[in-house]
Amino acid sequence: MRIREFGDDPEVAVVAGIHGDEPCGPEAVESLLADPPAFGRPVKFVVANEAALERGVRYLDEDLNRAFPGDAEAESHERRLAARLLTELDGCTTLALHSTQSYAGPFALVDTVNPATAELCAELPVDAVVETDAYAGGRLIDYPRTVEVECGLQWSETAVANGRGLVTAFLEATGVLPSEGQGSDNVPVFRLTNRVPKAPATNHEVFVDNFERVEPGVPFASADGEDRVAEEPFYPILMSADGYEDVFGYAGERVGRLADVATRADRGVSATDARQDVPANHR
């Protein structure tokens, strides 16, 4: 694990390279730090799974982003790394950089939208915010003041460029860099509701676009030519033919815009209750 700290006792952190087959994050960080700007408050940058990055593989022993809180004495490389990484990030507001095979644009993932995460996400140049909630087990976003971002398509130069923009916006939002105040809270918020299983097959296809509503009766994916048809309306999230071994991705619901969902969270309204304020044809 490679760490660069600027200043004493940083309370802001950027994490890249949690998965070794997602080099956009490390490349974005390295680009920024090749000629570091003047930081207005202490900050640290962490490239997490160096061993997996060197081999170009997702992980050595197990998925690091399913291994938290980890165990310093574990046999698994990633489980030991998870424990060490949590120690490094203790007390920090954290941005974790990822890439995906499902969507070309940047979007954010949080455990749940609350006023703090909403304020942070509103300053990031993202197309959407996703609440993972019950599906975040073992992930870094289980922990407070943590936002994950998908920078774009895996291995793409666009993901690297998006990652650099996301890091810069995050550092501005946390006072590490001077802010130009160009954020927006008019960003749609989605919530994961179900995993979408993927049957073993030689050929998988996905016919729908992520974050675009799928109506009942519409074929949305197939396995060896056998279509999967929507039984009820949903929004595809992190859905692709090859991204996961046993699922196409997730089904989700739309719970509103970032400003509205944050306001409801501040009043103690759950995401499920907040959904009732969204017109039925937009859920």
Side-chain angles (χ1 to χ4, degrees), residues 102-159:
S102 64
Y103 188 75
F107 63 96
L109 300 99
V110 297
D111 181 30
T112 56
V113 172
N114 57 47
T117 55
E119 182 178 4
L120 182 55
C121 288
E123 298 301 320
L124 302 179
V126 293
D127 295 343
V129 176
V130 177
E131 289 189 319
T132 58
D133 199 16
Y135 298 94
R139 303 188 189 199
L140 187 58
I141 50 174
D142 284 349
Y143 298 89
R145 295 186 291 171
T146 301
V147 174
E148 290 185 356
V149 286
E150 299 286 355
C151 300
L153 294 176
Q154 197 173 9
W155 304 107
S156 71
E157 289 301 319
T158 299

Side-chain angles (χ1 to χ4, degrees), residues 58-59 196-201 204 240-249:
R58 191 168 183 82
Y59 54 81
V196 181
K198 181 168 67 175
H204 294 97
S240 67
D242 303 313
Y244 299 100
E245 291 184 8
D246 55 353
V247 296
F248 282 108

